Amino acid sequence: MKQSQLFTKTRKEAPKDEVSKNAQLLIQAGFVYKEMAGVYSYLPLGLRVLNKINDIIRKEMNKIGGQELFLTNLQDPKIWEATGRWSDDVVDNWFKTKLKSGTELGLGFTHEEPITRMMKDHISSFRDLPLSAYQIQTKFRNESRAKSGIMRGREFLMKDLYSFSRDEKEHDDFYNKAIIAYTNIFSKVGLGEKTHVTFASGGTFSKYSHEFQTVSDAGEDIIYIAPNGLAVNEEVFNDEVLKDLGFEKKDLKKEKSIEVGNIFSLGTKFSEAFDLTFSDEKGENKFVVMGCYGIGPGRLMGTVVEALSDERGIIWPETIAPFKVHLLSLGANEETEKIYNQLQQNGIEVLFDDRDKKAGDKFADSDLIGIPYRVVVSEKSLSQGGVELKKRAENDGKIFSINDLIELLK
Ligand code: ATP
Ligand code: MG
């Protein structure tokens, strides 16, 4: 894409009303637009990143057998009354609305209730199980604090998967596969080393839930990391839990962290509330054993910005960068146009800065936007035999011939 055609503009300064680094950089570079506190629109560059994150998540969910669907946002209070979760005393972050007739509805903050009810139409026999279904869909939560940019939205995207199994053993098998899938996702988006599988409170159905916590000063959580890489959330941190997990207090490292994912065993809590049963091999009726598995793609994107940016801007990992190459023409538009076409013909995603701007401004914008490879074409580089290639995360570039450049990038 030609940058002269991109309608979004970078800003010279970070927005003054944002305190989080992710919102400051993403707004300054033109990835997102702030509608109001905790409500952000995704602009073309931001949507490219978000879609790449979603594709990585989708692949991993499909690999463990997840089937994609798309549930509604408008929620019928009746089904939430079945679990007691319609009450504002129980759930403090509902957005509720009304039909013209006055009937109350809710905007979904999660989807255990509707998917459990829906599955009553589709699960009846042991032959129907196990199964899992997921969506990447908007959630609404009336969060009281919205100071963390796209990491804590009041309207935000969630990938939520729900698993349905015949018994605990079958559930545990799927749950363990989900842990591996999640680990793959966080590695692929560049957060592998900083993200820890963390024991957190499990509610009433299991001893623990598992969170995926990325170490960052911008985090709202505190975790204690053991030498083996596993961690425990401060909210469940006590001597009994440490003993149970085999953690030695003196070996643990305390860190601030961001919860990028969370998986839960739900037992039969929801299937009992909705009478979701199946008949087993002996013809006996049993409650389905469930689990739920969440990731916030937007929060993940914000976490990457928090964890991987520097004082000049964002540093996207190649896997989720809006483009692979930022091609900058410094007074050599004709030559650069040819290179642009060649890169595109080789299937390389390029943002071509063809704007009539000073070199310094182009460099500053390139660092701010954070595309992994910067290719500069100028009279000087051409006289030296080609173009200058520099990685965003490195300080020095090198001259490459056009052919070598294409070989390297393709
Ligand atoms: P938190 O404790 O941070 O409020 P949560 O435990 O309520 O999060 P879950 O219900 O477990 O969140 O949601 C699953 C995932 O959705 C989270 O791990 C996170 O990645 C994402 N998420 C949750 N709330 C938000 C939000 N307000 N904005 C963006 N992403 C969110
Ligand atoms: Mg959580």
Side-chain angles (χ1 to χ4, degrees):
M1 171 169 210
K2 289 190 177 172
Q3 211 165 333
S4 61
Q5 306 294 306
L6 185 66
F7 74 80
T8 57
K9 308 282 185 293
T10 58
R11 299 187 190 183
K12 281 260 181 288
E13 306 278 336
K16 300 250 176 324
D17 61 328
E18 291 284 0
V19 288
S20 72
K21 184 159 70 173
N22 73 84
Q24 288 176 347
L25 285 172
L26 289 166
I27 292 170
Q28 197 185 344
F31 286 78
V32 304
Y33 176 78
K34 183 184 195 170
E35 297 289 346
M36 59 187 111
V39 183
Y40 296 88
S41 293
Y42 286 78
L43 303 175
L45 289 177
L47 187 60
R48 289 179 75 98
V49 174
L50 195 63
N51 282 339
K52 287 186 181 183
I53 291 174
N54 288 343
D55 283 347
I56 289 172
I57 294 174
R58 206 171 254 126
K59 267 196 196 120
E60 290 295 329
M61 294 301 101
N62 292 345
K63 229 162 61 184
I64 57 173
Q67 300 177 45
E68 190 168 1
L69 46 59
F70 195 87
L71 302 172
T72 69
N73 267 127
L74 289 176
Q75 298 293 311
D76 177 355
K78 273 194 215 83
I79 62 166
W80 295 84
E81 275 156 9
T83 55
R85 290 213 288 181
W86 181 249
S87 162
D88 292 319
D89 299 333
V90 177
V91 174
D92 66 359
N93 62 15
W94 268 115
F95 277 110
K96 291 181 177 173
T97 185
K98 278 195 180 111
L99 292 178
K100 283 185 179 160
S101 62
T103 305
E104 265 195 306
L105 298 179
L107 300 178
F109 67 95
T110 183
H111 279 86
E112 283 85 1
E113 280 81 348
I115 201 167
T116 309
R117 178 180 67 168
M118 185 271 284
M119 283 299 178
K120 282 169 67 70
D121 282 0
H122 304 284
I123 296 172
S124 56
S125 146
F126 67 92
R127 292 187 193 85
D128 301 325
L129 297 169
L131 77 87
S132 60
Y134 73 98
Q135 58 178 344
I136 298 177
Q137 186 255 16
T138 303
K139 300 282 185 263
F140 291 91
R141 290 187 184 180
N142 202 343
E143 302 273 6
S144 36
R145 291 178 64 243
K147 299 244 176 275
S148 294
I150 62 167
M151 298 196 304
R152 185 171 295 285
R154 294 191 165 116
E155 172 179 342
F156 63 97
L157 217 50
M158 192 196 286
K159 183 288 296 172
D160 42 332
L161 180 143
Y162 302 88
S163 67
F164 302 84
S165 305
R166 284 174 270 210
D167 52 33
E168 286 295 334
K169 157 93 183 50
E170 196 170 82
H171 167 75
D172 288 346
D173 287 347
F174 184 84
Y175 193 89
N176 291 330
K177 278 194 224 159
I179 292 184
I180 295 169
Y182 269 47
T183 304
N184 292 342
I185 291 165
F186 300 122
S187 297
K188 283 187 185 156
V189 303
L191 296 175
E193 278 168 32
K194 294 187 178 190
T195 303
H196 299 269
V197 176
T198 303
F199 294 92
S201 60
T204 46
F205 344 102
S206 67
K207 221 165 176 183
Y208 305 107
S209 74
H210 290 87
E211 292 174 344
F212 294 77
Q213 294 275 1
T214 305
V215 172
S216 163
D217 281 339
E220 295 178 11
D221 287 13
I222 290 171
I223 57 166
Y224 294 84
I225 306 166
N228 63 5
L230 295 173
V232 58
N233 193 310
E234 185 166 62
E235 63 177 33
V236 293
F237 188 83
N238 61 44
D239 288 337
E240 196 188 320
V241 167
L242 293 186
K243 191 165 161 227
D244 183 43
L245 298 174
F247 286 1
E248 290 281 346
K249 214 179 215 164
K250 64 175 177 26
D251 298 337
L252 301 177
K253 202 167 160 223
K254 184 177 177 181
E255 296 277 10
K256 285 176 94 175
S257 62
I258 302 164
E259 181 204 304
V260 287
N262 195 184
I263 66 177
F264 265 94
S265 292
L266 299 173
T268 55
K269 176 184 160 145
F270 290 90
S271 49
E272 286 186 41
F274 290 95
D275 196 30
L276 175 65
T277 60
F278 67 99
S279 63
D280 71 5
E281 284 93 332
K282 294 186 206 119
E284 259 175 62
N285 247 16
K286 292 205 165 131
F287 287 116
V288 175
V289 178
M290 289 174 55
C292 67
Y293 312 77
I295 293 184
R299 182 177 290 184
L300 198 50
M301 177 170 160
T303 303
V304 169
V305 176
E306 294 287 343
L308 306 180
S309 59
D310 65 14
E311 65 295 341
R312 288 176 288 140
I314 305 169
I315 305 177
W316 294 111
E318 224 177 290
T319 47
I320 59 168
F323 294 89
K324 183 170 185 179
V325 177
H326 204 172
L327 181 65
L328 274 54
S329 163
L330 302 185
N333 269 16
E334 222 167 282
E335 278 301 322
T336 317
E337 179 100 27
K338 280 188 212 147
I339 297 167
Y340 173 59
N341 290 333
Q342 268 177 288
L343 287 168
Q344 286 199 316
Q345 279 154 18
N346 281 279
I348 300 162
E349 290 181 334
V350 195
L351 181 65
F352 171 19
D353 191 349
D354 59 335
R355 298 171 306 166
D356 188 17
K357 290 224 175 228
K358 287 198 228 108
D361 290 342
K362 290 194 177 188
F363 288 141
D365 275 354
S366 184
D367 283 343
L368 178 64
I369 293 171
I371 293 169
Y373 292 95
R374 188 186 78 187
V375 173
V376 175
V377 189
S378 63
E379 295 299 335
K380 188 171 152 218
S381 78
L382 292 168
S383 73
Q384 287 172 339
V387 301
E388 190 210 57
L389 174 74
K390 187 187 90 66
K391 283 195 184 170
R392 171 63 182 84
E394 292 173 4
N395 286 323
D396 299 311
K398 245 177 92 178
I399 299 290
F400 281 83
S401 71
I402 315 288
N403 284 343
D404 287 353
L405 178 81
I406 288 169
E407 278 314 307
L408 190 115
L409 292 175
K410 131 171 135 171

